[in-house]
Every structure is written in structure tokens, then in C-alpha cells.
Amino acid sequence: MAVNSAPSGKAPGGRLAGRWVPWLVIGLWVALSVFMVPLSGLLSSVTTDSAADTLPANAESTKVAVLEDSLPGGEDNTFVFVYHRAGGITAADRASVERHYDTLAKRYPPKVAAPAEEDDEGPQTRPSTDGKAMMFTLDVSATYGAPEAIVGPLRDAAKDRPAGLDLDVTGPAAIDGDMDAVFDGIDLQVFLTTVIVVTLLLIFTYRSPVLWLIPLVAVGAAALTSMATVYLLVKGFGIVVNDQNSALLTILVFGVGTDYALLLIARYREALHHHENVRVAMVHALRGAAPAIIASAATVIAGLFCLLVADLNSTSGLGPIGAAGILCALVAMLTLFPALLVVLGRRIFWPAIPRFSTVVVEEKPGLWVRLGAAISRRRWVATLSSLAVLGILAIGLAGNTGALREQDQFVSAPESVTGFTVLRQHFPELGGQPMTVFTRPAYQEKVLAVVKGTRGVAEAMPGQTSGGWVDISVFPTDAPDTVAEYDTIKRVRTAVHAVNGAEAIVGGPSAENLDTEETTTRDEKLVIPLVLAVVLLVLGLLLRAIVAPLILMATVIVSFAAAFGGSVFVFDTILGFKGIDYSVPLLAFLFLVALGVDYNIFLVSRAREETVRLGTRRGMLKALSATGGVITSAGLVLAATFAVLATLPLVMLIEVGFLVAFGVLLDALLVRSILVPALTLLIGRRMWWPSRPSRPVELPDGERSLVDDKEPALQR
């Protein structure tokens, strides 16, 4: 036993432990909340998923979208009504279809009158060549509402029809409406689900009827503040926030904020055994935990800011959005959270209240001490076994089925998606998403002829002339968002661009998806190397070493490959998804690398701290025993928060949620708990090269110097 010589009444730093400081901090947060909480509710009012806002301004489909919006009727929402009967359309069916069209055309008249020649085009309904279906197209002005507000009434208005006549309302606007319906209220759903998940995990972790509430209050305050901050950023700087990024903001803040809380509570509980005054104990806890927490937050923020170089506005917008969330979480967990803990005192830990004692009692070896001893005895076995598991999981990368089509984004296909299948079955010439070609009127005939002669085009029809432009609707023969359709779009673009003077441009829903995929691919090639370089630099500055950051980055990359491979296997084989959304690889890489480095920092910064006293081997084992439980708990919480995304009915969010959750668990339970300690023990003090935080000479296992005798021996 030993006597603790630390004073119990005053903290080093005096005034920081003053009685009034915690109350002042809480008061400042209450005042801040009065201003920020109302603003947080306004974030949903500035989110956008339109192509013109998401894609870069120089993308061809963006130019088409902007031009469409600027022309009379350009903001119309296009719905396609597909009626079908297996036994063939009857006379009563035809009469019902024509009645529906007349009724809806009168209910939703165009805000801009059509040219006189367009009024005499004949019947607006169209029968299929197989006699089993009829269809018509309805353009509804945006002044009547957004697609999600219109599609429901349109479907209800067509319910009065003969028995056995089925109807699917599809088309670009119907798909947008069904997609928007998925995101309707998603922020509140994600927020409440995340709160419930984090609450259950905190109760399980601390087994206290009260303690779980304190980090939840602090993280909740950080989340609301971050939402208000992002709203102000949108209004002040015009950054793009879509529904996906808004949901990710909530997940990020709750995940990392709870991680920071777990790390600080572990240090605080440890300090309470050595300091009678809770304010003094908190100062010591902050001195021990804050550097790692700040370094972790700085790494994630630096990685997020790398997204600013992306061309895709939704991707570049995630940079400041995520950074604002991490910064709010950092400030809240280093100010409000400690203040609440100090004000509530030791009793907040009831029933397992940490007691102050001047006698240091050597604890019995726990799970992490025994694991460290096993790794120390079998370093090569631990290293090779870990790499083998990661390598086997990475094999799943070979099963990547390609990009996910827009129609396959839904877990349960809505009517707008099934309607496209029916449309292709009975109207193969209209089964693709229509392209929109804009050209100068003087070149209309030439451009139209060129488009009709392009391989993969089923039909092309001229539209209205307005504002010095004429539009041409082009129907490809291939299914929407397929490689074949994308090839047709590229061929059409090449063909119309060759018409000198026409200034022709090609857009439309599938063209927007093509431009988004190509832009994301370019962004990946730029952002991923930049993230690796920035994170490596931050690790180098933090550890003041070269070898350790390189080793740690290598483990993060291998861990990402394994998580991605394992997830692809699950998506393909178990869940039956029809591809990987184009945005998933970049998002998953960013989160897994940046958040994976968190656990590197928590473990290795503590190892470096202990190495100064104990040497590299014993320092790493001491760090593993001290942080193993915290890192595991943090990993479980972070994985659970991202897993919340897997409860939503959209494949893209399920893929991101599952991949990041699986990757975080893999990183916390295998890479950080076994592989990194094993590699450190194999490399020895060279891990810290060129700095030398440990003793000049490492002693062999089993030998101890007089310096070692002054410290309690680590249990083996």
C-alpha cells in the first residue's frame, strides 16, 4: 500500500475548482439554449434535395434543371398514370381512364396556357400495343404543392374505376414524392430513436438509475446547439444541407459526444478515489482526458473539412455541417457535462459510489489485464490472427454488385417504383426515364434528327419553345439508372454537342444521377488521399513520431477494407440489396477513418503517457488495461447510434448505418484491442521513433530495474 500525497482540498489551478465555476457554466448553457433551441427547429426548413442545389453548377444536368425552372411551366411535376388489366383493357376501362384524365386536367390546369397548336393534338390517353394497358401523363404546376403533397390526392382521385383495373401512379414526380415521404419527419425519428438507444446503453453501462441522464442531457444540448449552428451557417454562407446530412449530424453528435462522456467519466471515477474534493477530482480528470478528447475531435474535424474540396455540393456541405456538430459536442462535453457532474457530486454514481481513500489498493487482474498478458506472450499469433480475420472479411469486396439504382433505394418498393416496371412491360418504348434536351430553336430539326439516330433512343418528341430555347423529350430503350441507359445518355450528349451552334445540353433525372455518380467518383479520388494525409499529420503531431502514425493509419485502412468487404457480403447475400449507393464508400471511409482514429488516439496517447514511466511494453499493457473497457463501451455506443440509420426504410441509409456500425465494432473489439497492442509489442520502442519517450534501454520480459520496483508491477 502507499499513501496518496495529493492534497484533497484544493486543485492545482485554484480558481478552476471554485464553487461558482460549475454554476456559471451551467448558467451560460441555459442562456445559450434559450437562443439556440428555437433555431434548431428551423433546420428542416432549409434542407434541400434538388439536383440544382446538390450538383455542381457546371454539371450539364444542373444547367438543364436551372433552365427548366426559369422557363414557363418548367417547374411542373410530371406524373405518369399506368392502368393495366391482365385480361386486356375493356371499353369501360377506356372510358374510366379518359374520365380520370379529364377530371385531373381540369383540377390541375397549367398555370401557363399551352400554345394553340398543342390543344388539338387529339386524345391524351395512350393504349399499349398488347391491349392490356393504358397510360397518360399529367404535368402539375409546382404552385399546387410539392410532389409529396400532390401524389396522394392524385392516387385518391383515380380510385373510382372498374373492378380488376389496376393503377400505378409513377413518373419522376411520383418517385420524388415517395422519396420525400421517407424523409418526412426523419430528423425527429432519428433524434428520438438515437436518444432511446443511447439511454439504454448508458443504463446498461453504468447500472445507475441517475448517472445515464447526465451525459444524455449534455449530448442533447450539444445536438440542439449543432442544429441551430448549422441553420445559421446555411443562412449566412449558403451551404447545402440535404435530409441525409441532417440525419448524419444527429448521429455524429450523439455518437462522439457519448464517447467523450465515457472517456471523461472513466478518468473522473479514477480521480475520485484519490481526491476528496469533487472539483479537484474533476480538474485532474480533465487534465488527463481533455488532451485525448481534443485531439480526437480535431482529427475528425480536420477530416470533415477535407470534404470542402468535393465538387458535389451535398458532399462538400457535409464538411462544415459535421465539423459544427463535432465542435458543439466537444464544447458541451468539456464544459456543461463536467459542470453537471461536479454540482451533483459523488452521489450521482449511486449505488457504486467511488470512495476517497489515502490508501492505494492494488486491484485484482481484470479482463483487459489478462488479455494484455496473453497478447504479450503470443505477439505474433495475435498479430497474424487479427490480420487473417480482417483479410477474410476484405474478400467480400469482390462481391460488390455495382451502383444502386434510384428505383432500388426503397426497402419496400412504393407504387412509383412498381409502376415503372409495369410501364416497361406494356410500353417498352417509354420505359426509361425521359431525358430533356435543350437546344436553340433554329437547330431543333437537326438536333432532333441526330437524337433519333442515336443508338439506345426509342423515341424523341419536340416540346415547347420559350426564352430562346426549345426542349426535346427523349425516351431511352433501357431501364432507368442502368449502365446501358447511362451509355445512351453519354452517346446523346456526344451527338448533340457535335451540332455546331445548337448549344444543346442534356439533362433529366437519370442524367442527374449519372452526373452525381461521376462527380462522386472524382471526389473520392481527391478527398480520400487528402483525408489520409491530414489524419496522418494530426497523428504525427500528437504522438511526435513517424512510425506510430504510419502503423496506426495502416490498421485503420485495413479495418475499413474488412468492414466494407463484410458489409458487401451482408448486403448481397443476406439482405439482397441490388447494389451499393454511390455515396456510401466515401461517407463510410470518412467516418470509419476519422472515428477509427479516435480509438487509436484514446489508446496510444495513454500508452505514450505510460511509456514515459514504464517503458513501451508495460506502458502499452497499462494503457490497454486502463482504456480497454472505455474503448469497448464507446465503440458499442457509437455503433448503436449509427445502427439507428438501419431502422429507416431507405437502402442508402441502411448501408451507411450498417457499414459504419460494423466497422466501429471491428475497430474497437479487434483492431484497437488486439492488433495495435500486438504490433506495438512487436515493434517495441521503435514505435515512437524519432522521439524517445521511454527509457534508453528496454528491459527483457521478466526483468525489472529499481525504477520499475517503485511502481506497482502490472499483473500478468
Side-chain angles (χ1 to χ4, degrees):
M1 66 179 64
V3 177
N4 188 336
S5 59
S8 61
K10 294 184 179 181
R15 288 179 296 178
L16 289 177
R19 294 176 180 272
W20 56 272
V21 173
W23 290 106
L24 175 63
V25 171
I26 295 172
L28 290 174
W29 269 96
V30 171
L32 180 66
S33 299
V34 171
F35 174 70
M36 299 296 270
V37 170
L39 293 179
S40 65
L42 299 176
L43 179 59
S44 60
S45 67
V46 295
T47 58
T48 176
D49 288 288
S50 69
D53 293 327
T54 301
L55 284 165
N58 60 354
E60 193 165 337
S61 58
T62 305
K63 296 176 183 178
V64 170
V66 172
L67 189 55
E68 279 183 318
D69 291 344
S70 67
L71 297 178
E75 296 182 353
D76 288 355
N77 296 304
T78 301
F79 297 90
V80 179
F81 289 68
V82 186
Y83 297 80
H84 51 101
R85 182 189 290 272
I89 296 294
T90 66
D93 294 340
R94 283 193 293 271
S96 179
V97 173
E98 291 170 1
R99 185 179 72 254
H100 286 169
Y101 176 78
D102 292 338
T103 301
L104 292 172
K106 291 177 182 178
R107 181 178 299 179
Y108 299 100
K111 294 301 180 183
V112 179
E117 63 269 22
E118 293 186 9
D119 294 333
D120 301 321
E121 291 182 349
Q124 299 295 324
T125 59
R126 178 171 179 167
S128 64
T129 55
D130 62 7
K132 297 181 179 181
M134 291 186 69
M135 59 84 66
F136 64 79
T137 299
L138 185 71
D139 291 327
V140 181
S141 173
T143 57
Y144 291 108
E148 67 269 22
I150 301 173
V151 67
L154 288 179
R155 287 166 175 160
D156 292 339
K159 284 184 176 180
D160 179 20
R161 58 184 184 271
L165 179 63
D166 295 320
L167 167 65
D168 292 300
V169 180
T170 183
I175 290 180
D176 288 344
D178 289 335
M179 183 74 76
D180 291 339
V182 171
F183 282 106
D184 188 30
I186 193 173
D187 288 341
L188 181 60
Q189 180 182 348
V190 169
F191 185 87
L192 293 178
T193 307
T194 305
V195 168
I196 293 172
V197 169
V198 172
T199 298
L200 293 176
L201 287 172
L202 288 174
I203 292 175
F204 175 78
T205 300
Y206 293 119
R207 297 179 178 85
S208 168
V210 183
L211 181 59
W212 61 270
L213 183 61
I214 309 308
L216 195 63
V217 168
V219 176
L224 294 174
T225 303
S226 67
M227 294 167 67
T229 303
V230 171
Y231 170 76
L232 294 175
L233 288 175
V234 173
K235 301 299 288 186
F237 299 96
I239 63 174
V240 174
V241 182
N242 58 16
D243 292 304
Q244 166 190 301
N245 289 349
S246 179
L248 289 174
L249 172 66
T250 301
I251 296 296
L252 264 180
V253 174
F254 269 89
V256 300
T258 308
D259 278 4
Y260 299 159
L262 293 171
L263 189 66
L264 182 59
I265 285 179
R267 286 277 190 160
Y268 181 49
R269 188 195 293 271
E270 183 180 327
L272 286 173
H273 288 294
H274 304 295
H275 302 280
E276 186 174 9
N277 189 303
V278 294
R279 296 186 298 277
V280 175
M282 180 55 72
V283 170
H284 280 273
L286 284 171
R287 285 185 170 180
I293 292 175
I294 293 172
S296 167
T299 304
V300 178
I301 290 173
L304 285 165
F305 272 127
C306 292
L307 294 178
L308 289 174
V309 303
D311 286 333
L312 199 67
N313 292 331
S314 57
T315 301
S316 61
L318 181 59
I321 292 169
I326 299 297
L327 186 60
C328 289
L330 174 68
V331 174
M333 305 319 291
L334 291 184
T335 57
L336 176 62
F337 182 54
L340 291 172
L341 288 176
V342 167
V343 166
L344 295 171
R346 294 174 184 268
R347 59 185 177 275
I348 198 65
F349 289 93
W350 186 87
I353 300 176
R355 303 296 182 184
F356 165 70
S357 175
T358 57
V359 177
V360 178
V361 180
E362 186 174 330
E363 297 181 358
K364 296 181 179 180
L367 169 65
W368 298 101
V369 173
R370 294 194 296 272
L371 177 62
I375 294 173
S376 181
R377 289 193 300 268
R378 300 287 187 270
R379 303 171 190 183
W380 278 109
V381 172
T383 301
L384 296 177
S385 299
S386 301
L387 292 175
V389 172
L390 297 173
I392 292 172
L393 288 172
I395 294 175
L397 290 172
N400 194 332
T401 56
L404 188 73
R405 300 191 309 163
E406 184 179 29
Q407 288 76 21
D408 298 325
Q409 282 277 8
F410 302 92
V411 175
S412 179
E415 184 177 319
S416 59
V417 172
T418 58
F420 253 115
T421 303
V422 175
L423 188 66
R424 279 190 56 78
Q425 180 181 352
H426 298 290
F427 299 90
E429 72 280 9
L430 301 176
Q433 290 252 46
M435 286 179 264
T436 300
V437 178
F438 275 105
T439 183
R440 295 301 181 182
Y443 297 87
Q444 173 183 333
E445 295 301 326
K446 185 178 290 188
V447 170
L448 185 60
V450 167
V451 171
K452 286 183 176 180
T454 302
R455 181 165 55 90
V457 172
E459 187 175 336
M461 299 175 292
Q464 66 173 340
T465 301
S466 180
W469 294 93
V470 61
D471 69 271
I472 300 172
S473 296
V474 183
F475 292 87
T477 58
D478 299 291
D481 294 324
T482 58
V483 174
E485 188 202 32
Y486 286 168
D487 288 340
T488 299
I489 295 173
K490 295 174 184 178
R491 285 192 294 268
V492 170
R493 283 177 170 174
T494 301
V496 300
H497 292 168
V499 180
N500 293 326
E503 302 180 35
I505 50 178
V506 180
S510 289
E512 291 168 1
N513 295 336
L514 170 61
D515 288 342
T516 300
E517 185 174 325
E518 290 181 340
T519 304
T520 301
T521 301
R522 291 197 302 270
D523 289 343
E524 287 177 359
K525 295 177 181 178
L526 183 61
V527 172
I528 289 177
L530 186 59
V531 169
L532 290 175
V534 168
V535 172
L536 186 63
L537 178 62
V538 172
L539 281 175
L541 294 175
L542 173 67
L543 301 176
R544 298 185 293 280
I546 294 176
V547 174
L550 291 173
I551 295 295
L552 297 177
M553 283 303 303
T555 64
V556 169
I557 294 172
V558 172
S559 177
F560 169 74
F564 207 127
S567 297
V568 167
F569 175 80
V570 172
F571 299 155
D572 289 354
T573 307
I574 300 176
L575 300 180
F577 294 160
K578 297 180 180 179
I580 305 293
D581 188 85
Y582 58 83
S583 63
V584 169
L586 182 57
L587 290 176
F589 177 84
L590 174 69
F591 291 138
L592 287 181
V593 169
L595 298 175
V597 168
D598 270 9
Y599 303 133
N600 270 324
I601 291 173
F602 294 161
L603 173 65
V604 180
S605 62
R606 181 65 180 262
R608 195 181 192 285
E609 176 187 332
E610 299 293 344
T611 295
V612 175
R613 300 185 304 113
L614 304 173
T616 301
R617 185 186 70 82
R618 295 182 64 219
M620 173 52 74
L621 296 181
K622 175 66 175 178
L624 179 63
S625 67
T627 65
V630 178
I631 290 177
T632 301
S633 299
L636 290 173
V637 170
L638 188 61
T641 53
F642 269 94
V644 168
L645 293 175
T647 65
L648 302 175
L650 206 62
V651 171
M652 177 268 169
L653 292 177
I654 293 175
E655 289 179 341
V656 171
F658 180 88
L659 204 165
V660 176
F662 179 55
V664 167
L665 288 177
L666 194 65
D667 202 75
L669 300 178
L670 178 63
V671 176
R672 223 52 56 210
S673 299
I674 298 176
L675 181 58
V676 170
L679 287 172
T680 303
L681 295 177
L682 282 173
I683 297 171
R685 65 181 180 183
R686 292 184 297 275
M687 186 77 167
W688 313 111
W689 185 87
S691 63
R692 304 181 67 178
S694 60
R695 294 162 298 182
V697 178
E698 288 282 337
L699 298 181
D701 292 354
E703 295 185 18
R704 292 161 51 205
S705 67
L706 293 176
V707 175
D708 285 331
D709 285 335
K710 295 179 182 178
E711 299 290 343
L714 191 67
Q715 295 290 331
R716 298 186 180 181

